[in-house]
Structures are given as C-alpha cells and as structure tokens.
Amino acid sequence: MAQALTRAMRDAMAEDPTVHVMGEDVGTLGGVFRITDGLAKEFGEDRCTDTPLAEAGILGAAVGMAMYGLRPVVEMQFDAFAYPAFEQLISHVAKMRNRTRGAMPLPITIRVPYGGGIGGVEHHCDSSEAYYVATPGLHVVTPATVEDAYGLLRASIASDDPVVFLEPKRLYWSKADWSPEAPAAVPGIGKALVRRTGTSATLITYGPSLPLCLEAAEAAREEGWDLEVVDLRSLVPFDEETVVQSVRRTGRAVVVHEANGFGGPGAEIAARVTERCFHHLEAPVLRVTGFDIPYPPPMLEKHHLPGVDRILDTVARLQWEN
Amino acid sequence: MTVQELPGAGASHRPTPPPAWRPRTDAAPLLPDPEPYRVLGTEAADRLDPALMRRCYAELVRGRRYNAQATALTKQGRLAVYPSTVGQEACEIAAAMVLEDQDWLFPSYRDTLAAVARGLDPVQALTLLRGDWHTGYDPREHRIAPLCTPLATQLPHAVGLAHAARLRGDDVVALAMVGDGGTSEGDFHEALNFAAVWQAPVVFLVQNNGFAISVPLAKQTAAPTLAHKAVGYGMPGRLVDGNDIAAVHEVLAEAVRRARAGGGPTLIEAVTYRMEAHTNADDATRYRGDAEVEAWKAHDPIELLERELTARGIIDEAGIQAARDEAEVMAAALREGMNADPVLDPMDLFAHVYAEQTDRLREQAAVLRSELEAEDQA
Ligand SMILES: Cc1ncc(C[n+]2csc(CCOP(=O)(O)OP(=O)(O)O)c2C)c(N)n1
C-alpha cells in the first residue's frame, strides 16, 4: 500500500504542477513511513517540502498556498500529532468555501496515518476519524486495499474540496497483485463497495478493519453464516445507498471499526441503517468497536482492538430471539 | 542532591565549547529601536511628501467618519457588532496604502477599515459584522482574505500565500494584521517561524492597542516589546508610533519593499490605543481609567497629522473641509447601503459546503424547502 500511495502522489505531481507535498520529514527522509520517498529528489524541495515542526503552521500555510491556487498535500506524521492543526482544520480548511460563498474553495489533501495494531507507543495509534467526520466541509476517506490507496488518493488530490485522507498504518505493508504500471481506475470519493457478497448479515466496515471482517466472514461460514462485507471507503460523504441496499437484502447488520464506540462513526451508521431499514431488520444493528478508553499500551492493544472472535460473537448475537 | 553537590561542581576546569558552534544570524540589526519610531513633530518630517500626506489626511478623516458611522449603525441595530478602530486609523490606513494591487491583505476581525481603505465597498466589508454572510466579497477579486475571527490564525495563511506566490515567480507581498493579544497565540509563533525559514515576502503588523478585550499588555507578554519577538525567529523587528501615519507608512513601506526584493519578512509593532470599547458589548470602564484615555486623546492620529501639515502649509482650511466633505459622501453611502435590508436565501445554507452537494445535504435541503413552503402558505 505504501508504494501505491507514493505512486499516487508522484503521478499527481507529474501531471499537475500545482500539486505540492509538505510536512515534517517528507523531503530527504521520505517521511517516517517513507510514503513520500523520492518525491523531493524527483520534483525538488519546492514541490516536496520539509517544513518546520509545527502542525498548525503546516496546515495554515497550506491554506494560504491553496488560496493562491496550489494543491497542497499535507502529511501529518501521526494521527495524534495532527491535533495541533485542528484549529486550522476546523475554522479555516473546512469552512473557507462556505465563508466565501464558494469564491474560495481549498483543494487541500491532509494525509493522516491512523489507527493501531502496529505496536506503537502512546500517541501513535489513535483512530481519530470521529473528529473529522463531525466537521462539515471536510471529506473523509480511507482506503483498505492497495488499489484504493492509489485511486482514492488521486481522487482526493483532484478534489476541489479539502479531504482528510486516513491511511491505515497497519495496512501500509499490505501487498497485492497491483501494478503501478497499470493503476486502477480512480474510484471517486463517496462510493462504498461490496467486498464480499453474502445473505445472512452485512458487516459494514472501512480501512484497517476490512481485512479483519473478510477473515471473520470466512470463519463464519463454519457456523452457517454467509456474511456480506461492505467497505465504506469514504466516511464523508457516506454511501448510504450501498449500505442500505445490502442490509435490506441481508436483514442484519454489524458495524465494525477500531475507533472508540461512543460517538464513533459506527453510532451514526447504525442510526442511519435503523432509520432506513427498520422493517427489513431481523435484529438491532450491532457494533464492534474499540473500547471507550484512551489507546492502550502496545502489550494490551490486542484486547482493545476488535478481533475476529469479537466480530463472530457479535454476529452470533444477531440471532435475535426476544 | 543540590546543584552544588553535583559531581564536578567544584571542578576548576571549564568545559570545552561545543564544536564549531556559531549563531546563525547577527541579532543586533534585527533588534527594534528602544523607542517607537516617529516622524511627525520631528526633523524627519522635513522629508514628507506633500501629495502622499494629503492623501493620508483625507483617508484618516474618512476612516474616522467610517468608524463613527459604523458605531452609529450598531446603536441602530443595523450591525450586530462593531469593533471600532477609533484611534487606530493611522495603522489601518497605512497598511492598505503601502500595498500594490497584486498584494494581499490579511485582516483580523477588527480591520474592516483597512479593507475599506484598500478599496473594498464599506457595505461589503461589514457583511460579517451585520450577520449577513460570513464574507461579503470575493477575496481573490480584492486580494483581501476574509476578516478573520479566530485570533492569529490568518497569519500562517499569509505566509503560505506569499510563499506560493514566490514559488510561482509572482511579485506579491502579503501584509497580515494582528492585535497585541493575538501575539500570544501559537499560530502567531508558527507563522513567524515559517515566514523566516522560508524567507517569505510577508509583513506582520501588530497593532498594540493596549488591550486584548480587558487584558493589558503587561499580562499578555513579558517581552521588552512585541517587536523584540522578531529576533527569535530571525527577522527584523520594528517599533513605530502607531498614531503617526507618516512613521507607520514609512516603516511599513520599507518592510514591503524589502519583502518584495526578496529580503524576507518583518515584524512591526505599532504602538497605538483603542479609544473606544472592545466592541459595543464591552464596558471599558471596568479595566481602564479616564486619565489614560485622555492622555491618548492628546496624541490623536488625525490631529498629529493636521498640526504638522498645517504648520508646513501642506494643507489649509479648504483642504480640511474637502476631506470632511468626501468623508460625508462615504458615510451617506454606507448608511444607505446598510439601511437596505439584505435579501437572503435560506437555501444558500446548503450551497457552499462542498463543491458537489452530498446526499445528506440534499436530504436536509429538502426538509428546509418544505418548511419554507409551509411558511409561505401559512
Ligand atoms: C482563538 C481566539 N480566542 C479568543 C477569541 C475571543 N476574542 C476576540 S477578540 C479578543 C481580544 C483580542 O485582542 P487583540 O489581539 O489585542 O486584538 P484587538 O481586539 O485589541 O484588536 C478575544 C480574546 C478569539 N476571537 N479567538
């Protein structure tokens, strides 16, 4: 996945001279995850810039650059280090189009490596998507596959609206039969995808939890469950139709994500599914999420993160018999 | 263990200096003068350009009238709120005057007058404050960023814009305005640091008007002056009498010239005073005394210039009257513009959230549309 992301930025920079990559250590080092590897060398330090170490400054400067017609792609080094930039994000990035009644859109892509499962220490594993999805004016997308990493990042950079592009850290090293020579079609922002068809229940998920859900779906076959898996790919906009169609077919739904459950995206999705599918539902919409705790230390994270067993236990509860 | 007891504390040898260390920049030329720079009433006034000063005078008078009119509109309920710049007109006007057409102004919420002096229609400049829409103009058309309410957050934008313009090879300078209170915000520091590291063509103008709402400068900073802060970032700091328009204009113009020539950013502290309350919602008597206000009254920017220009025969009674007449025309137009009720379309609420409306917003727009239709029928 890492290479697909790099390739997406490289192709975008080659095609469009207004695309600028900026952030901490993105130049010479190529980023701490090496996602910007080689970009400074190929396009020069003016196009791939090591900035001073200040997230509000980085995003704030990107706002000004976008005001002048550039397309900044900002790298936040880790999920929990993006918080200093929230003021800029919420007060300006998300609102500039609205404040200026359409006169000044900000085509900024904010790449945020997010989520746990990599044994990272404190402040390196937050699932911060709930903060972003609660902010009108931002698009929020997250790829779960190598193809989508490329396609969604291209779409994000091409978008005239700001996009928070959440990169599931633990999938950086995932591999696929994907050739950068023949990049997949750009999926466009706001389209979910049924990754696995099934008939007995729908797992609704995104980003780091997709592989888990696919694994759970395989395991569930032994229990006689034929699970459908929907990959949202985009949290804002939320592809309600794909989700609703699926749940109406299967009659049961579980939302799976590793962010905290209370006030998490799953709460919103469950509410929407309930509103739209009430008469089709055989059981309440259930959720499998991280616990409502600060991200735990690495040695305990496996207890916090949703795993296949927890998903299967929840699926079993869909046998609603009250 | 105390410091004295630390191992080696009593040793007579001095540690060797670290290898090849040297300061990056000589700090001395960056330091501001100890006293605010002044022109009016000093020998420097001999150099005044009469035409420029007559224009400054007319703009000051117009600016004062604008402040009075906007304040009156608040009392009539036409404006939700107005942060006055009475006493600060010299800063506001000089900031606008030193910029070329292609340059950009980044005002704070207080700086409507600077926007107006740059040529923005006063009614458009006040849409934010009357509650019409957030920004009443196209920022690109006027090269004026939206008036910024979250303190100091517009400063990094100015840096980014100036940086982008320079990358593109365009001759553009950004001038960003901030209050004394705003200099305590993180964004102020990050913007100055970015600007200096990038050598961006930016001028930062701090209007030190004495207070951040009720908090005096002494509780805001322990720095000798706000201009001193520049040195830590590696840019020159300049201290200027903010009520002396000749001085503010000169210092700003010099900083703009330097930025344009590739010399990098400058931080300017203009020492001035907010004669009126923070806004109409504020009671200034709770935090400051009449004596202080009276002392500043004697240092009024319009009177300072008028005295100098009259003494030098640059302006006469007729010139003064002409400036006042011109200001009245502006005030009448402003009154008229503000008395016309703005026509707002509630459906606009959904128009500019995203380039393309989401399903979610379409749904919510339908709810509002049917509510409006029901209202119409009732
Ligand atoms: C980030 C932020 N915090 C608080 C406020 C509320 N507030 C509005 S004006 C103001 C004082 C600003 O003082 P100063 O920067 O000196 O500017 P002045 O009002 O004197 O022009 C405060 C605290 C704000 N607008 N933004």
Side-chain angles (χ1 to χ4, degrees), chain B residues 13-32:
Chain B
H13 79 275
R14 297 178 65 83
T16 52
W21 183 86
R22 62 181 175 78
R24 289 175 45 86
T25 316
D26 178 10
L30 305 181
L31 279 166

mmCIF file with all atom_site columns, all heavy atoms in Angstrom, chain B residues 13-32:
data_model
loop_
_atom_site.group_PDB
_atom_site.id
_atom_site.type_symbol
_atom_site.label_atom_id
_atom_site.label_alt_id
_atom_site.label_comp_id
_atom_site.label_asym_id
_atom_site.label_entity_id
_atom_site.label_seq_id
_atom_site.pdbx_PDB_ins_code
_atom_site.Cartn_x
_atom_site.Cartn_y
_atom_site.Cartn_z
_atom_site.occupancy
_atom_site.B_iso_or_equiv
_atom_site.pdbx_formal_charge
_atom_site.auth_seq_id
_atom_site.auth_comp_id
_atom_site.auth_asym_id
_atom_site.auth_atom_id
_atom_site.pdbx_PDB_model_num
ATOM 1   N N   . HIS B 1 13 ? 38.161 23.311 35.976 1.00 0.00 ? 13 HIS B N   1
ATOM 2   C CA  . HIS B 1 13 ? 38.266 23.428 34.517 1.00 0.00 ? 13 HIS B CA  1
ATOM 3   C C   . HIS B 1 13 ? 36.939 23.895 33.922 1.00 0.00 ? 13 HIS B C   1
ATOM 4   O O   . HIS B 1 13 ? 35.872 23.657 34.475 1.00 0.00 ? 13 HIS B O   1
ATOM 5   C CB  . HIS B 1 13 ? 38.684 22.096 33.899 1.00 0.00 ? 13 HIS B CB  1
ATOM 6   C CG  . HIS B 1 13 ? 37.546 21.117 33.771 1.00 0.00 ? 13 HIS B CG  1
ATOM 7   N ND1 . HIS B 1 13 ? 37.175 20.298 34.805 1.00 0.00 ? 13 HIS B ND1 1
ATOM 8   C CD2 . HIS B 1 13 ? 36.687 20.862 32.745 1.00 0.00 ? 13 HIS B CD2 1
ATOM 9   C CE1 . HIS B 1 13 ? 36.144 19.565 34.420 1.00 0.00 ? 13 HIS B CE1 1
ATOM 10  N NE2 . HIS B 1 13 ? 35.820 19.893 33.176 1.00 0.00 ? 13 HIS B NE2 1
ATOM 11  N N   . ARG B 1 14 ? 37.010 24.579 32.810 1.00 0.00 ? 14 ARG B N   1
ATOM 12  C CA  . ARG B 1 14 ? 35.789 24.987 32.104 1.00 0.00 ? 14 ARG B CA  1
ATOM 13  C C   . ARG B 1 14 ? 35.554 23.998 30.976 1.00 0.00 ? 14 ARG B C   1
ATOM 14  O O   . ARG B 1 14 ? 36.498 23.578 30.310 1.00 0.00 ? 14 ARG B O   1
ATOM 15  C CB  . ARG B 1 14 ? 35.948 26.391 31.529 1.00 0.00 ? 14 ARG B CB  1
ATOM 16  C CG  . ARG B 1 14 ? 36.147 27.442 32.641 1.00 0.00 ? 14 ARG B CG  1
ATOM 17  C CD  . ARG B 1 14 ? 36.356 28.812 32.039 1.00 0.00 ? 14 ARG B CD  1
ATOM 18  N NE  . ARG B 1 14 ? 35.165 29.265 31.321 1.00 0.00 ? 14 ARG B NE  1
ATOM 19  C CZ  . ARG B 1 14 ? 34.123 29.841 31.916 1.00 0.00 ? 14 ARG B CZ  1
ATOM 20  N NH1 . ARG B 1 14 ? 34.135 30.020 33.228 1.00 0.00 ? 14 ARG B NH1 1
ATOM 21  N NH2 . ARG B 1 14 ? 33.078 30.225 31.229 1.00 0.00 ? 14 ARG B NH2 1
ATOM 22  N N   . PRO B 1 15 ? 34.282 23.609 30.777 1.00 0.00 ? 15 PRO B N   1
ATOM 23  C CA  . PRO B 1 15 ? 34.028 22.661 29.698 1.00 0.00 ? 15 PRO B CA  1
ATOM 24  C C   . PRO B 1 15 ? 34.399 23.284 28.352 1.00 0.00 ? 15 PRO B C   1
ATOM 25  O O   . PRO B 1 15 ? 34.259 24.495 28.166 1.00 0.00 ? 15 PRO B O   1
ATOM 26  C CB  . PRO B 1 15 ? 32.527 22.407 29.782 1.00 0.00 ? 15 PRO B CB  1
ATOM 27  C CG  . PRO B 1 15 ? 31.975 23.515 30.610 1.00 0.00 ? 15 PRO B CG  1
ATOM 28  C CD  . PRO B 1 15 ? 33.084 24.039 31.461 1.00 0.00 ? 15 PRO B CD  1
ATOM 29  N N   . THR B 1 16 ? 34.866 22.469 27.442 1.00 0.00 ? 16 THR B N   1
ATOM 30  C CA  . THR B 1 16 ? 35.195 22.994 26.113 1.00 0.00 ? 16 THR B CA  1
ATOM 31  C C   . THR B 1 16 ? 33.898 23.374 25.408 1.00 0.00 ? 16 THR B C   1
ATOM 32  O O   . THR B 1 16 ? 32.856 22.768 25.638 1.00 0.00 ? 16 THR B O   1
ATOM 33  C CB  . THR B 1 16 ? 35.914 21.941 25.259 1.00 0.00 ? 16 THR B CB  1
ATOM 34  O OG1 . THR B 1 16 ? 35.116 20.754 25.283 1.00 0.00 ? 16 THR B OG1 1
ATOM 35  C CG2 . THR B 1 16 ? 37.299 21.659 25.776 1.00 0.00 ? 16 THR B CG2 1
ATOM 36  N N   . PRO B 1 17 ? 33.960 24.400 24.565 1.00 0.00 ? 17 PRO B N   1
ATOM 37  C CA  . PRO B 1 17 ? 32.738 24.751 23.840 1.00 0.00 ? 17 PRO B CA  1
ATOM 38  C C   . PRO B 1 17 ? 32.386 23.644 22.855 1.00 0.00 ? 17 PRO B C   1
ATOM 39  O O   . PRO B 1 17 ? 33.263 22.877 22.452 1.00 0.00 ? 17 PRO B O   1
ATOM 40  C CB  . PRO B 1 17 ? 33.128 26.026 23.079 1.00 0.00 ? 17 PRO B CB  1
ATOM 41  C CG  . PRO B 1 17 ? 34.617 26.002 23.010 1.00 0.00 ? 17 PRO B CG  1
ATOM 42  C CD  . PRO B 1 17 ? 35.105 25.234 24.185 1.00 0.00 ? 17 PRO B CD  1
ATOM 43  N N   . PRO B 1 18 ? 31.116 23.555 22.495 1.00 0.00 ? 18 PRO B N   1
ATOM 44  C CA  . PRO B 1 18 ? 30.748 22.533 21.511 1.00 0.00 ? 18 PRO B CA  1
ATOM 45  C C   . PRO B 1 18 ? 31.443 22.821 20.187 1.00 0.00 ? 18 PRO B C   1
ATOM 46  O O   . PRO B 1 18 ? 31.802 23.963 19.925 1.00 0.00 ? 18 PRO B O   1
ATOM 47  C CB  . PRO B 1 18 ? 29.230 22.689 21.387 1.00 0.00 ? 18 PRO B CB  1
ATOM 48  C CG  . PRO B 1 18 ? 28.920 24.035 21.928 1.00 0.00 ? 18 PRO B CG  1
ATOM 49  C CD  . PRO B 1 18 ? 29.991 24.369 22.903 1.00 0.00 ? 18 PRO B CD  1
ATOM 50  N N   . PRO B 1 19 ? 31.638 21.804 19.349 1.00 0.00 ? 19 PRO B N   1
ATOM 51  C CA  . PRO B 1 19 ? 32.403 22.005 18.126 1.00 0.00 ? 19 PRO B CA  1
ATOM 52  C C   . PRO B 1 19 ? 31.724 22.989 17.179 1.00 0.00 ? 19 PRO B C   1
ATOM 53  O O   . PRO B 1 19 ? 30.524 22.888 16.947 1.00 0.00 ? 19 PRO B O   1
ATOM 54  C CB  . PRO B 1 19 ? 32.473 20.611 17.491 1.00 0.00 ? 19 PRO B CB  1
ATOM 55  C CG  . PRO B 1 19 ? 31.652 19.715 18.321 1.00 0.00 ? 19 PRO B CG  1
ATOM 56  C CD  . PRO B 1 19 ? 31.163 20.434 19.517 1.00 0.00 ? 19 PRO B CD  1
ATOM 57  N N   . ALA B 1 20 ? 32.491 23.917 16.682 1.00 0.00 ? 20 ALA B N   1
ATOM 58  C CA  . ALA B 1 20 ? 32.104 24.791 15.573 1.00 0.00 ? 20 ALA B CA  1
ATOM 59  C C   . ALA B 1 20 ? 30.742 25.436 15.737 1.00 0.00 ? 20 ALA B C   1
ATOM 60  O O   . ALA B 1 20 ? 30.005 25.599 14.781 1.00 0.00 ? 20 ALA B O   1
ATOM 61  C CB  . ALA B 1 20 ? 32.136 24.011 14.264 1.00 0.00 ? 20 ALA B CB  1
ATOM 62  N N   . TRP B 1 21 ? 30.409 25.800 16.961 1.00 0.00 ? 21 TRP B N   1
ATOM 63  C CA  . TRP B 1 21 ? 29.116 26.437 17.121 1.00 0.00 ? 21 TRP B CA  1
ATOM 64  C C   . TRP B 1 21 ? 29.221 27.913 16.782 1.00 0.00 ? 21 TRP B C   1
ATOM 65  O O   . TRP B 1 21 ? 30.188 28.576 17.097 1.00 0.00 ? 21 TRP B O   1
ATOM 66  C CB  . TRP B 1 21 ? 28.624 26.295 18.560 1.00 0.00 ? 21 TRP B CB  1
ATOM 67  C CG  . TRP B 1 21 ? 27.252 26.875 18.724 1.00 0.00 ? 21 TRP B CG  1
ATOM 68  C CD1 . TRP B 1 21 ? 26.069 26.237 18.491 1.00 0.00 ? 21 TRP B CD1 1
ATOM 69  C CD2 . TRP B 1 21 ? 26.923 28.209 19.096 1.00 0.00 ? 21 TRP B CD2 1
ATOM 70  N NE1 . TRP B 1 21 ? 25.015 27.085 18.695 1.00 0.00 ? 21 TRP B NE1 1
ATOM 71  C CE2 . TRP B 1 21 ? 25.514 28.315 19.068 1.00 0.00 ? 21 TRP B CE2 1
ATOM 72  C CE3 . TRP B 1 21 ? 27.674 29.344 19.443 1.00 0.00 ? 21 TRP B CE3 1
ATOM 73  C CZ2 . TRP B 1 21 ? 24.833 29.487 19.382 1.00 0.00 ? 21 TRP B CZ2 1
ATOM 74  C CZ3 . TRP B 1 21 ? 26.985 30.521 19.756 1.00 0.00 ? 21 TRP B CZ3 1
ATOM 75  C CH2 . TRP B 1 21 ? 25.585 30.587 19.732 1.00 0.00 ? 21 TRP B CH2 1
ATOM 76  N N   . ARG B 1 22 ? 28.233 28.439 16.101 1.00 0.00 ? 22 ARG B N   1
ATOM 77  C CA  . ARG B 1 22 ? 28.165 29.880 15.882 1.00 0.00 ? 22 ARG B CA  1
ATOM 78  C C   . ARG B 1 22 ? 26.701 30.264 15.727 1.00 0.00 ? 22 ARG B C   1
ATOM 79  O O   . ARG B 1 22 ? 25.892 29.457 15.264 1.00 0.00 ? 22 ARG B O   1
ATOM 80  C CB  . ARG B 1 22 ? 28.935 30.281 14.619 1.00 0.00 ? 22 ARG B CB  1
ATOM 81  C CG  . ARG B 1 22 ? 28.361 29.666 13.386 1.00 0.00 ? 22 ARG B CG  1
ATOM 82  C CD  . ARG B 1 22 ? 29.107 30.005 12.129 1.00 0.00 ? 22 ARG B CD  1
ATOM 83  N NE  . ARG B 1 22 ? 28.520 29.241 11.029 1.00 0.00 ? 22 ARG B NE  1
ATOM 84  C CZ  . ARG B 1 22 ? 27.384 29.559 10.424 1.00 0.00 ? 22 ARG B CZ  1
ATOM 85  N NH1 . ARG B 1 22 ? 26.725 30.634 10.761 1.00 0.00 ? 22 ARG B NH1 1
ATOM 86  N NH2 . ARG B 1 22 ? 26.901 28.794 9.454  1.00 0.00 ? 22 ARG B NH2 1
ATOM 87  N N   . PRO B 1 23 ? 26.369 31.491 16.139 1.00 0.00 ? 23 PRO B N   1
ATOM 88  C CA  . PRO B 1 23 ? 24.978 31.909 15.914 1.00 0.00 ? 23 PRO B CA  1
ATOM 89  C C   . PRO B 1 23 ? 24.710 31.964 14.414 1.00 0.00 ? 23 PRO B C   1
ATOM 90  O O   . PRO B 1 23 ? 25.606 32.244 13.626 1.00 0.00 ? 23 PRO B O   1
ATOM 91  C CB  . PRO B 1 23 ? 24.908 33.293 16.545 1.00 0.00 ? 23 PRO B CB  1
ATOM 92  C CG  . PRO B 1 23 ? 26.303 33.715 16.813 1.00 0.00 ? 23 PRO B CG  1
ATOM 93  C CD  . PRO B 1 23 ? 27.192 32.519 16.743 1.00 0.00 ? 23 PRO B CD  1
ATOM 94  N N   . ARG B 1 24 ? 23.475 31.695 14.040 1.00 0.00 ? 24 ARG B N   1
ATOM 95  C CA  . ARG B 1 24 ? 23.135 31.688 12.611 1.00 0.00 ? 24 ARG B CA  1
ATOM 96  C C   . ARG B 1 24 ? 23.085 33.093 12.031 1.00 0.00 ? 24 ARG B C   1
ATOM 97  O O   . ARG B 1 24 ? 23.360 33.307 10.885 1.00 0.00 ? 24 ARG B O   1
ATOM 98  C CB  . ARG B 1 24 ? 21.778 31.016 12.400 1.00 0.00 ? 24 ARG B CB  1
ATOM 99  C CG  . ARG B 1 24 ? 21.815 29.517 12.628 1.00 0.00 ? 24 ARG B CG  1
ATOM 100 C CD  . ARG B 1 24 ? 20.409 28.940 12.522 1.00 0.00 ? 24 ARG B CD  1
ATOM 101 N NE  . ARG B 1 24 ? 19.710 29.486 11.361 1.00 0.00 ? 24 ARG B NE  1
ATOM 102 C CZ  . ARG B 1 24 ? 19.791 28.983 10.136 1.00 0.00 ? 24 ARG B CZ  1
ATOM 103 N NH1 . ARG B 1 24 ? 20.555 27.934 9.915  1.00 0.00 ? 24 ARG B NH1 1
ATOM 104 N NH2 . ARG B 1 24 ? 19.126 29.523 9.146  1.00 0.00 ? 24 ARG B NH2 1
ATOM 105 N N   . THR B 1 25 ? 22.660 34.013 12.888 1.00 0.00 ? 25 THR B N   1
ATOM 106 C CA  . THR B 1 25 ? 22.456 35.367 12.402 1.00 0.00 ? 25 THR B CA  1
ATOM 107 C C   . THR B 1 25 ? 22.936 36.335 13.468 1.00 0.00 ? 25 THR B C   1
ATOM 108 O O   . THR B 1 25 ? 22.778 36.059 14.649 1.00 0.00 ? 25 THR B O   1
ATOM 109 C CB  . THR B 1 25 ? 20.942 35.634 12.198 1.00 0.00 ? 25 THR B CB  1
ATOM 110 O OG1 . THR B 1 25 ? 20.370 34.503 11.562 1.00 0.00 ? 25 THR B OG1 1
ATOM 111 C CG2 . THR B 1 25 ? 20.692 36.868 11.359 1.00 0.00 ? 25 THR B CG2 1
ATOM 112 N N   . ASP B 1 26 ? 23.463 37.453 13.054 1.00 0.00 ? 26 ASP B N   1
ATOM 113 C CA  . ASP B 1 26 ? 23.812 38.501 13.999 1.00 0.00 ? 26 ASP B CA  1
ATOM 114 C C   . ASP B 1 26 ? 22.511 39.148 14.477 1.00 0.00 ? 26 ASP B C   1
ATOM 115 O O   . ASP B 1 26 ? 21.734 39.655 13.669 1.00 0.00 ? 26 ASP B O   1
ATOM 116 C CB  . ASP B 1 26 ? 24.724 39.528 13.304 1.00 0.00 ? 26 ASP B CB  1
ATOM 117 C CG  . ASP B 1 26 ? 25.078 40.673 14.235 1.00 0.00 ? 26 ASP B CG  1
ATOM 118 O OD1 . ASP B 1 26 ? 24.784 40.560 15.450 1.00 0.00 ? 26 ASP B OD1 1
ATOM 119 O OD2 . ASP B 1 26 ? 25.646 41.667 13.751 1.00 0.00 ? 26 ASP B OD2 1
ATOM 120 N N   . ALA B 1 27 ? 22.279 39.101 15.768 1.00 0.00 ? 27 ALA B N   1
ATOM 121 C CA  . ALA B 1 27 ? 20.991 39.567 16.292 1.00 0.00 ? 27 ALA B CA  1
ATOM 122 C C   . ALA B 1 27 ? 20.862 41.091 16.253 1.00 0.00 ? 27 ALA B C   1
ATOM 123 O O   . ALA B 1 27 ? 19.751 41.617 16.111 1.00 0.00 ? 27 ALA B O   1
ATOM 124 C CB  . ALA B 1 27 ? 20.793 39.066 17.710 1.00 0.00 ? 27 ALA B CB  1
ATOM 125 N N   . ALA B 1 28 ? 21.984 41.802 16.355 1.00 0.00 ? 28 ALA B N   1
ATOM 126 C CA  . ALA B 1 28 ? 21.904 43.248 16.562 1.00 0.00 ? 28 ALA B CA  1
ATOM 127 C C   . ALA B 1 28 ? 21.077 43.990 15.501 1.00 0.00 ? 28 ALA B C   1
ATOM 128 O O   . ALA B 1 28 ? 20.202 44.797 15.851 1.00 0.00 ? 28 ALA B O   1
ATOM 129 C CB  . ALA B 1 28 ? 23.311 43.836 16.650 1.00 0.00 ? 28 ALA B CB  1
ATOM 130 N N   . PRO B 1 29 ? 21.276 43.733 14.198 1.00 0.00 ? 29 PRO B N   1
ATOM 131 C CA  . PRO B 1 29 ? 20.494 44.500 13.225 1.00 0.00 ? 29 PRO B CA  1
ATOM 132 C C   . PRO B 1 29 ? 19.002 44.167 13.250 1.00 0.00 ? 29 PRO B C   1
ATOM 133 O O   . PRO B 1 29 ? 18.197 44.904 12.670 1.00 0.00 ? 29 PRO B O   1
ATOM 134 C CB  . PRO B 1 29 ? 21.092 44.087 11.865 1.00 0.00 ? 29 PRO B CB  1
ATOM 135 C CG  . PRO B 1 29 ? 22.277 43.255 12.140 1.00 0.00 ? 29 PRO B CG  1
ATOM 136 C CD  . PRO B 1 29 ? 22.214 42.796 13.552 1.00 0.00 ? 29 PRO B CD  1
ATOM 137 N N   . LEU B 1 30 ? 18.647 43.052 13.880 1.00 0.00 ? 30 LEU B N   1
ATOM 138 C CA  . LEU B 1 30 ? 17.232 42.670 13.912 1.00 0.00 ? 30 LEU B CA  1
ATOM 139 C C   . LEU B 1 30 ? 16.484 43.379 15.031 1.00 0.00 ? 30 LEU B C   1
ATOM 140 O O   . LEU B 1 30 ? 15.258 43.454 15.024 1.00 0.00 ? 30 LEU B O   1
ATOM 141 C CB  . LEU B 1 30 ? 17.103 41.152 14.093 1.00 0.00 ? 30 LEU B CB  1
ATOM 142 C CG  . LEU B 1 30 ? 17.841 40.260 13.089 1.00 0.00 ? 30 LEU B CG  1
ATOM 143 C CD1 . LEU B 1 30 ? 17.588 38.783 13.402 1.00 0.00 ? 30 LEU B CD1 1
ATOM 144 C CD2 . LEU B 1 30 ? 17.389 40.562 11.656 1.00 0.00 ? 30 LEU B CD2 1
ATOM 145 N N   . LEU B 1 31 ? 17.224 43.895 16.005 1.00 0.00 ? 31 LEU B N   1
ATOM 146 C CA  . LEU B 1 31 ? 16.583 44.461 17.201 1.00 0.00 ? 31 LEU B CA  1
ATOM 147 C C   . LEU B 1 31 ? 15.851 45.759 16.904 1.00 0.00 ? 31 LEU B C   1
ATOM 148 O O   . LEU B 1 31 ? 16.342 46.608 16.153 1.00 0.00 ? 31 LEU B O   1
ATOM 149 C CB  . LEU B 1 31 ? 17.638 44.727 18.274 1.00 0.00 ? 31 LEU B CB  1
ATOM 150 C CG  . LEU B 1 31 ? 18.060 43.508 19.095 1.00 0.00 ? 31 LEU B CG  1
ATOM 151 C CD1 . LEU B 1 31 ? 19.339 43.808 19.868 1.00 0.00 ? 31 LEU B CD1 1
ATOM 152 C CD2 . LEU B 1 31 ? 16.937 43.121 20.055 1.00 0.00 ? 31 LEU B CD2 1
ATOM 153 N N   . PRO B 1 32 ? 14.678 45.927 17.485 1.00 0.00 ? 32 PRO B N   1
ATOM 154 C CA  . PRO B 1 32 ? 13.962 47.194 17.292 1.00 0.00 ? 32 PRO B CA  1
ATOM 155 C C   . PRO B 1 32 ? 14.636 48.328 18.064 1.00 0.00 ? 32 PRO B C   1
ATOM 156 O O   . PRO B 1 32 ? 15.376 48.090 19.010 1.00 0.00 ? 32 PRO B O   1
ATOM 157 C CB  . PRO B 1 32 ? 12.580 46.893 17.885 1.00 0.00 ? 32 PRO B CB  1
ATOM 158 C CG  . PRO B 1 32 ? 12.798 45.785 18.853 1.00 0.00 ? 32 PRO B CG  1
ATOM 159 C CD  . PRO B 1 32 ? 13.944 44.975 18.319 1.00 0.00 ? 32 PRO B CD  1
#
